Amino acid sequence: MIPVIRRSSGTSTISSISSFVFRYSGYFTFVLVALYFSVRSPAFLTLKNVLNILLQSSALGIIACGMTAVIIGGGNHVIRGGIDLSLGNNLALNAAITAALISHGYSLWAAAGAALLSSVVVGVINAFAIVKLKFIPLLGTLSVMYILQGVQLLITNNKVISISEPTLNLIANGAFLHIPVPVWMFLIVGAMAYVLFNHTVFGNWVYAVGGNPEAARAAGVHVNLTLALTYIIASITAFIASLIIVARLSGTVTGIGDIMLLDILLAGLMSAVFSKLSVPNMAGAVLSALFVGMLSNGFTLINVPTYWVFAIKGALILVAVAITTTQQRRVKPHV
């Protein structure tokens, strides 16, 4: 008769607590950071500042949904996993095109249409390089990132472009039910992305392709088309976010893509932390964008130097990857 080995209740309890902490670590961190800033600065939890955090997070939150779509579809492999490093400069290029055309007398709709077309073309180029030419996403989108940076500088001549356009002014300064227009744009895009990836067949396909492309192909999923569409969706979010940037800046400035890239990566990667299974998800992308916005706002209120802010954000990327990897090892069935 084979003896049955039972784990002690103490070991089981510790394991359960550890699993619980890992599973909800993102939420715990969000609450603790919010409490820390509220103690250090009485102005942090005021209604005005909360709306300001939402406003500051709006463009990032929209494009973070795009980055998360790419991460979901490409999988989480350290080297070959889904990522789009060109998203920041795609946004910057869209902003440059929109601002430059308006400054030359074109209407907002013509300028925005040209920017949208440009953004989709960038998404198609990324998709073609990764799906057809089999480029590693990290390297393929890095190459496109530098190309877009050069094109953007060529369009702006490395100068600030200032514009004034009624609809953009409305986006920048308007509000509905006392909530700024960019926040409404963020909420709408976030809700649409959540429904698309959590309650549609396409969303199931994307998760299947990212989880196991061979199994997805065997199940009848068009793997290449599904993966390509994630890059195009990401490019569309870059276009929408660029409208908010152009509206709030009343034009465009050089280097905005490089400035936003770290935050985009942080929000996309941290989306997995806000998940019981530690997988990238749209609700997590929204929360991650708000978390990044809260960090920037809170550090400003308590006068933390900028270099510390960048260091902490970089450390958070490492923590997000470590927590995600650890949790996935925990839930992975043993052979």
Side-chain angles (χ1 to χ4, degrees), residues 56 81-82 88 141 151 167 197 217 289 318:
Q56 292 174 341
T141 59
V151 175
T167 303
F197 282 83
R217 185 175 286 109
L318 292 177

Side-chain angles (χ1 to χ4, degrees), residues 28-148:
F28 292 147
T29 303
F30 194 105
V31 172
L32 289 175
V33 170
L35 288 175
Y36 172 77
F37 285 138
S38 63
V39 170
R40 290 293 305 276
S41 175
F44 180 76
L45 283 183
T46 61
L47 178 60
K48 180 180 179 181
N49 192 58
V50 170
L51 287 175
N52 189 37
I53 292 173
L54 290 171
L55 181 60
Q56 292 174 341
S57 306
S58 55
L60 173 62
I62 290 171
I63 200 169
C65 289
M67 176 64 82
T68 304
V70 172
I71 295 174
I72 294 172
N76 55 17
H77 190 277
V78 177
I79 303 298
R80 297 184 177 275
I83 197 168
D84 187 352
L85 296 180
S86 70
L87 271 180
N89 278 319
N90 193 355
L91 178 151
L93 178 61
N94 296 332
I97 291 173
T98 302
L101 289 178
I102 291 176
S103 69
H104 282 83
Y106 290 89
S107 69
L108 171 63
W109 308 112
L116 175 59
L117 178 61
S118 168
S119 194
V120 171
V121 168
V122 171
V124 171
I125 292 172
N126 280 329
F128 181 78
I130 292 161
V131 174
K132 288 296 183 182
L133 301 182
K134 305 300 181 183
F135 285 11
I136 296 175
L138 181 68
L139 299 179
T141 59
L142 178 65
S143 302
V144 174
M145 180 190 81
Y146 282 116
I147 293 172
L148 297 182

